[in-house]
Amino acid sequence: MGFEGVGKSLGKDIVAWTRTSGKSLLASSPVKVNTSELRYVPKLQRDVVQISKKLVPADTSLFPWAVRKPEFSMTKVNPDSLVLVHMTNYYPSNGRILSTNLATKASEGAGCARTTIHFALNKPVTEHALGNPWNTMDYAIIAPFKETVEGMPKSKVIGGIQDDFFFQDAVQIPKGSSILKYNPDVTPGNFVVSEAFDGIKLIETSNRNLNEAADIVIQKMGYTTYNDSMRKFLGASEDDMKLLISQPAEDVKVFFNQVAQNGGASEYKKRLEENLKTTIECFSDTPGGEEIINQNKSMFVEEMKVLNLYEKYSEKFGVFPNSWREFCSKENYLNGLHSGTPWFKAEMSINGIGLAEKFNGNSWGRNLKQIFINNLNNAEESLPKGKSLGYDVKKVIKIIEDSETPKIANERLQQELKLKPMLPKQETQEFYKDSLDDTNDGSFLEFALALLGID
């Protein structure tokens, strides 16, 4: 067995790490080797690799190699204060994060239509009812914003919002980054630190709530978390902050805007009270009505809590979105939700073809084909200068035009463009089956329009 730089010499013995099973370098065990019996074998030098692991307390003190970064500010965005956080169940490929499109193309021969890679800034993405289980992902990739952007072609840096900043195709993880990994064998209250790639640390934790562990790693790397900065800026109590960060910041901003547009907190409260009163009157003498009334009372209490937050913090809460807008304008980044971008529209059109095959009796119905074509055309026409959707949209449109059924279109997309729809998780598919009738084109049409964000 060959060797290279495999340990610190202790007389004639060294301690090396040898791979014991599987493909991961982490599946290793220490072996004592007598140096007098070793011979240099150049062609086998990759068989043994040194992995130096160090136990570090999982507190908020800086890592030994980290330096304090500028404070994250709500009033003015400084790129040096920003750190990107990507939650995933996939370990980076050769130090790169791949889009779903490239990853599935490599493993399955055809890539799903999503060509974008998504991060949150200075915090893990907020878990919510309609999203993925972000809190319990296996990996969090935490990378300095400035160095990541500088290492990317400008055409691949898109933009977004604080909870969702995205790039296209692949992101090379720069030096100074950390890969946080869930490992149930790590002693609680500690991190196990080793080298993942050149200048990139692998940090293992047994904290199953990886979002919580990621916040600590962000601080140990020298950055301010978004939530800490916002709490200080707002002057919010701990209980108020728990409620504020229980939903994505964009959702809170949208709700605050709705309240403002409907006459403010007092008017909104009157509407809620009237709705609850009507519910009680309608269901008080109805079988099962008590349960409905109680549910509405609980909702009323929760909405009143949020209205209380509006009265306290709505003015200050809008400061960072304005700062972010100015920063994006200066750097020529897109500023807005992914769901409003050309990439989302194109992605969902291709996904819609797969859904039409599966849930609309493999039929285009009355005008699904034209809806998807129009949406793809609009996506390409609305692309920012110098950007691409990641595939030939004109060829996609031609295939749809020429295909008699969604199934034929899907087969041709996979064969000719190595492109396929990204269907929802199985439980969501079951919901579609229950909600949509294969013979009722009207219900699927309504669903498809909602899917594409078309009124």
Side-chain angles (χ1 to χ4, degrees), residues 19 21-27:
R19 190 180 307 178
S21 64
K23 296 181 179 179
S24 173
L25 290 174
L26 301 177

Side-chain angles (χ1 to χ4, degrees), residues 234 239-260 264-266 268-269 272 297-315 317:
L234 296 178
D239 287 342
D240 283 355
M241 275 304 297
K242 283 180 182 177
L243 189 54
L244 275 170
I245 66 176
S246 65
Q247 292 294 318
E250 189 67 22
D251 290 358
V252 177
K253 187 179 82 172
V254 168
F255 178 77
F256 281 4
N257 287 340
Q258 286 177 346
V259 175
S266 58
Y268 207 89
K269 180 181 177 181
L272 293 177
K297 284 181 177 179
S298 296
M299 289 171 58
F300 175 80
V301 170
E302 293 305 312
E303 287 173 317
M304 289 303 295
K305 287 180 182 177
V306 180
L307 278 177
N308 181 49
L309 296 181
Y310 171 85
E311 291 181 307
K312 288 182 180 180
Y313 308 119
S314 59
E315 187 174 341
F317 200 82

Side-chain angles (χ1 to χ4, degrees), residues 370 372-382 393-394 397:
Q370 197 56 50
F372 293 146
I373 289 172
N374 290 345
N375 215 50
L376 286 162
N377 273 323
N378 290 338
E380 187 173 44
E381 290 169 3
S382 59
V393 178
K394 287 184 171 54
I397 291 171

Side-chain angles (χ1 to χ4, degrees), residues 91 94-95 172-179 194-202:
Y91 192 74
N94 297 319
Q172 184 69 45
I173 305 171
K175 290 182 179 181
S177 301
S178 298
I179 300 171
S194 57
E195 200 82 3
F197 305 101
D198 182 26
I200 300 170
K201 302 293 184 183
L202 177 67

Side-chain angles (χ1 to χ4, degrees), residues 11-133:
K12 290 185 178 181
D13 293 331
I14 61 173
V15 175
W17 287 85
T18 62
R19 190 180 307 178
T20 57
S21 64
K23 296 181 179 179
S24 173
L25 290 174
L26 301 177
S28 311
S29 61
V31 177
K32 184 170 282 189
V33 183
N34 189 294
T35 58
S36 64
E37 297 174 358
L38 290 174
R39 290 185 299 165
Y40 178 58
V41 186
K43 290 187 179 179
L44 299 178
Q45 61 182 0
R46 292 186 180 179
D47 284 355
V48 179
V49 179
Q50 178 188 8
I51 301 180
S52 175
K53 294 192 174 186
K54 186 176 182 180
L55 203 65
V56 174
D59 56 23
T60 56
S61 61
L62 287 183
F63 285 125
W65 64 86
V67 294
R68 183 68 60 192
K69 309 300 189 298
E71 191 85 5
F72 183 95
S73 170
M74 292 283 146
T75 58
K76 186 174 178 61
V77 178
N78 179 353
D80 289 316
S81 73
L82 302 179
V83 63
L84 295 159
V85 184
H86 176 72
M87 307 300 294
T88 180
N89 280 326
Y90 302 97
Y91 192 74
S93 173
N94 297 319
R96 295 195 310 160
I97 307 170
L98 300 180
S99 68
T100 303
N101 176 265
L102 291 183
T104 51
K105 190 179 292 183
S107 61
E108 301 170 22
C112 294
R114 173 162 288 196
T115 63
T116 50
I117 306 165
H118 299 253
F119 298 77
L121 290 166
N122 292 66
K123 66 188 285 292
V125 65
T126 304
E127 185 170 298
H128 54 96
L130 299 179
N132 287 318

